Amino acid sequence: MGSTSSTLLKIPNVEELVQETGFSPAHIIRLYDRFKVLDKEGRGHLCPKDFGAIKELAMNPIRDRIISAFFSPGKETVDFYTFVKIMAHFRPVDKDRPKDPNSPEPINSRSNKLKFAFQLYDQDKDGKISRDELLKVLRDMLGMQVTEEQLESIADRTIQEADLDRDDAISFEEFRKSLEKVNIDHKMSIRFLR
Amino acid sequence: MESYLFPFDSLICMLLGISFTVGFTLLLVFIIVPAILGVSFGIRRLYMNSLIKLFEWATLRMERGAREKNQHLYKPYSNGIIAKEPASLEQEIQEMRRGGAEPEFDMSDIFNFCRRGVESIVDDEVTKRFTPEELESWNLLTRSNYNFQHISTRLTALWGVGVLIRYGFLLPLRVTLAFTGVGLLVVQSSIVGLFPNGRMKNYLSDKVHLMCYRICVRALTAIITYHDSENKPKNGGICVANHTSPIDVIILASDGCYAMVGQVHGGLMGVIQRAMVKACPHIWFERSEVKDRHLVAKRLSDHVADESKLPILIFPEGTCINNTSVMMFKKGSFEIGCTVYPVAIKYDPRFGDAFWNSSKFGMVNYLLHMMSSWAIVCSVWYLPPMSRMEGEDAVQFANRVKAAIARKGGLADLLWDGGLKRGKVKEVFKEEQQKLYSKVLVGSSEDRSRS
């Protein structure tokens, strides 16, 4: 228990976080409290098991993919800083942000949201969604409710429509193009209160 | 020097002696005698009302101070940090399809699952239920406050005085009362046990139990409002209530007589259990017997079939929930086939949080917390009796009772299992989501292939 200002002091690099992610200090405190609740053993970082303990997440068909999105390749833990940066992907797009060509692209830009979604498909991180990877995602989302043939036909159709350079895989650009008309901001944003 | 101290010394002794006697007499008159007779002076209610006024003042002061210093007042949101999409998964997927010619897999479908997943990382319904409820106003207990900073000397001084009163005066008083209550319970029920079985024994045992529980209620400074007492549980039935803390037992048992159910413990608890059983029949299970569901069911039904025995008190959630919701009821007690008397218990968190987080705090720690809070204020509603209807199975009956309790107590009715505090989610929930999604996708392609 402490005051707002003392909680802010406990969180490392708050200024940087606010700058980079666009969250307000109040949001960061909220996320910090949540981080502490998830970090049951109080180690200061989270591991996949801590995410697995969230009941509502456990019933999500693509739970494992979402969890691994939080961990950089090869790392087994995620600290608060990285946690917030990844959460920042889900901030609604700032409509009134001035288009400053020199500043880096904000984390919650449309392009970065698409990149986040792309990595959910592209598990081996080779920059392309292969037919196999697509099948795996479909199997995750549909479970045992459909047959292998149905899955394959869905996968074939999807690649046919999106794969423009005919290499039997979907690159990030093709992915982006096929989702041109989709309102990414609406689908990939979480409304943070206050 | 020494002769100087002597008269002083005896004066102090005399003063101490007098204050002890006076204190003890007051204790007796104002607390124990009313407990025996079952009447109340209304002191506790007066206390509660003055505390409310005090808390309101303290909160206003804090808000004013925060505004002056231009800081963010950390206002806890009981609704969570994010505004979640109110539509269910099925509705969302249907929405996706509207406007399109045919429902087909789209690579953006994954966004929905992804967003829901991340939403639950930030804020999920279940983890919330196992942490203490957040308060909107401050109750001068630092354990429930995020905003405590030095806003004004007056406020800090008030808090300091509060600490002194709670730990220096209230806590020792309550501990004494608690020991008295428990001691009297053990001694008196053993004495009653010596009587031959019959109406006299039952009458005495009821009186003894009630008296001791009432003393314990005062030991916690519990201010309880009972509603709808005409629905109080009768013999030959089972009383079912939502569970927030071990104190629930004391709260209910101080207003009526129940047969308790539980595991046999060693130590002090064991002594109490053995003494209670001498006066009237309770159901204590050995650890090994607990696993045998048939044995448990049989003992419960036998007890219920005997009209002369008291109604059984059961908490079907199986574990302590933080009093903002009611979780899944275990169906065992609903299979017995007798009348069920539901009871809803709602604590007022402003005075002291009664929730016992058994994974975080031990029992002694918890009791100390309870006894050093201002008071425990709660409301008890006795709901009209319910029985299992034709064609209803135990699970449906349990859910019906649960919904009634949740509605009456103003608690959220959740499907989740209280066992989730410690256990893992069943795969079947994940399959539900997969089914929903596949129905939209593949269900439609079947239509297409037909046409």
Side-chain angles (χ1 to χ4, degrees), chain A residues 11 19 28 35 45 60 76 90 110 131 136 154:
Chain A
I11 306 172
Q19 274 287 75
I28 296 192
F35 186 82
H45 54 81
N60 193 309
E76 289 282 309
F90 290 86
R110 189 192 157 88
R131 190 168 177 281
K136 282 212 195 81
I154 296 177

Side-chain angles (χ1 to χ4, degrees), chain B residues 168-240:
Chain B
F169 171 61
L170 288 177
L171 184 61
L173 175 64
R174 287 171 181 167
V175 170
T176 320
L177 278 175
F179 275 112
T180 318
V182 170
L184 278 176
L185 179 65
V186 171
V187 166
Q188 287 179 322
S189 25
S190 308
I191 296 179
V192 171
L194 297 171
F195 279 74
N197 286 351
R199 269 197 16 206
M200 186 55 157
K201 183 175 183 185
N202 290 343
Y203 177 72
L204 280 177
S205 128
D206 284 354
K207 288 281 166 252
V208 160
H209 274 108
L210 278 175
M211 178 182 102
C212 297
Y213 282 119
R214 286 198 196 115
I215 297 183
C216 289
V217 157
R218 281 159 173 78
L220 294 163
T221 319
I223 305 167
I224 313 168
T225 318
Y226 296 98
H227 302 265
D228 307 327
S229 296
E230 66 267 12
N231 292 325
K232 260 203 264 197
K234 304 191 178 40
N235 286 8
I238 295 189
C239 174
V240 152

Side-chain angles (χ1 to χ4, degrees), chain A residues 45-64:
Chain A
H45 54 81
L46 297 176
C47 60
K49 194 163 53 100
D50 294 319
F51 285 96
I54 302 172
K55 318 301 176 181
E56 274 175 25
L57 184 62
M59 66 181 213
N60 193 309
I62 54 165
R63 155 202 53 196
D64 294 322

Side-chain angles (χ1 to χ4, degrees), chain B residues 112-373:
Chain B
N112 283 306
F113 287 107
C114 176
R115 202 202 68 241
R116 282 174 170 265
V118 178
E119 270 177 356
S120 60
I121 292 181
V122 176
D123 189 8
D124 78 306
E125 281 297 321
V126 176
T127 317
K128 260 208 311 232
R129 308 296 175 189
F130 293 122
T131 49
E133 195 182 350
E134 292 189 7
L135 287 184
E136 302 244 332
S137 73
W138 189 35
N139 61 357
L140 291 178
L141 295 170
T142 35
R143 62 184 84 132
S144 51
N145 175 261
Y146 293 93
N147 276 317
F148 183 65
Q149 39 185 333
H150 186 81
I151 294 201
S152 79
T153 340
R154 233 197 295 183
L155 202 56
T156 319
L158 195 62
W159 174 77
V161 168
V163 169
L164 271 175
I165 296 181
R166 282 185 296 121
Y167 284 91
F169 171 61
L170 288 177
L171 184 61
L173 175 64
R174 287 171 181 167
V175 170
T176 320
L177 278 175
F179 275 112
T180 318
V182 170
L184 278 176
L185 179 65
V186 171
V187 166
Q188 287 179 322
S189 25
S190 308
I191 296 179
V192 171
L194 297 171
F195 279 74
N197 286 351
R199 269 197 16 206
M200 186 55 157
K201 183 175 183 185
N202 290 343
Y203 177 72
L204 280 177
S205 128
D206 284 354
K207 288 281 166 252
V208 160
H209 274 108
L210 278 175
M211 178 182 102
C212 297
Y213 282 119
R214 286 198 196 115
I215 297 183
C216 289
V217 157
R218 281 159 173 78
L220 294 163
T221 319
I223 305 167
I224 313 168
T225 318
Y226 296 98
H227 302 265
D228 307 327
S229 296
E230 66 267 12
N231 292 325
K232 260 203 264 197
K234 304 191 178 40
N235 286 8
I238 295 189
C239 174
V240 152
N242 62 314
H243 202 27
T244 305
S245 94
I247 294 179
D248 292 343
V249 173
I250 300 181
I251 288 183
L252 287 180
S254 60
D255 192 44
C257 297
Y258 300 94
M260 312 281 170
V261 178
Q263 236 180 56
V264 169
H265 285 103
L268 181 62
M269 267 311 290
V271 172
I272 301 177
Q273 283 178 327
R274 280 192 294 274
M276 282 169 73
V277 147
K278 287 193 192 130
C280 75
H282 296 277
I283 306 178
W284 305 123
F285 288 106
E286 297 289 336
R287 179 147 269 175
S288 49
E289 292 172 325
V290 172
K291 301 268 171 59
D292 187 349
R293 287 189 49 186
H294 288 291
L295 185 69
V296 170
K298 179 141 197 334
R299 277 185 74 176
L300 290 176
S301 347
D302 286 345
H303 184 110
V304 155
D306 187 346
E307 283 280 325
S308 69
K309 294 197 179 154
L310 298 165
I312 307 181
L313 180 59
I314 291 188
F315 297 101
E317 277 163 314
T319 184
C320 293
I321 315 291
N322 78 349
N323 209 232
T324 59
S325 67
V326 181
M327 293 208 158
M328 187 155 95
F329 278 4
K330 304 221 177 329
K331 63 178 164 90
S333 18
F334 298 92
E335 286 173 324
I336 301 180
C338 58
T339 331
V340 167
Y341 296 89
V343 176
I345 307 177
K346 177 82 173 113
Y347 289 86
D348 188 340
R350 284 179 298 176
F351 295 90
D353 187 11
F355 167 57
W356 183 32
N357 190 345
S358 51
S359 24
K360 247 184 156 183
F361 303 112
M363 177 67 117
V364 177
N365 212 333
Y366 171 70
L367 284 175
L368 277 177
H369 264 209
M370 284 296 96
M371 291 198 189
S372 60
S373 307

Side-chain angles (χ1 to χ4, degrees), chain A residues 155-164 166 178, chain B residues 104-106:
Chain A
D156 285 332
R157 198 173 49 236
T158 311
I159 294 193
Q160 211 180 24
E161 287 174 358
D163 185 15
L164 302 167
R166 299 278 159 248
S178 77
Chain B
E104 263 182 29
F105 172 70
D106 194 293

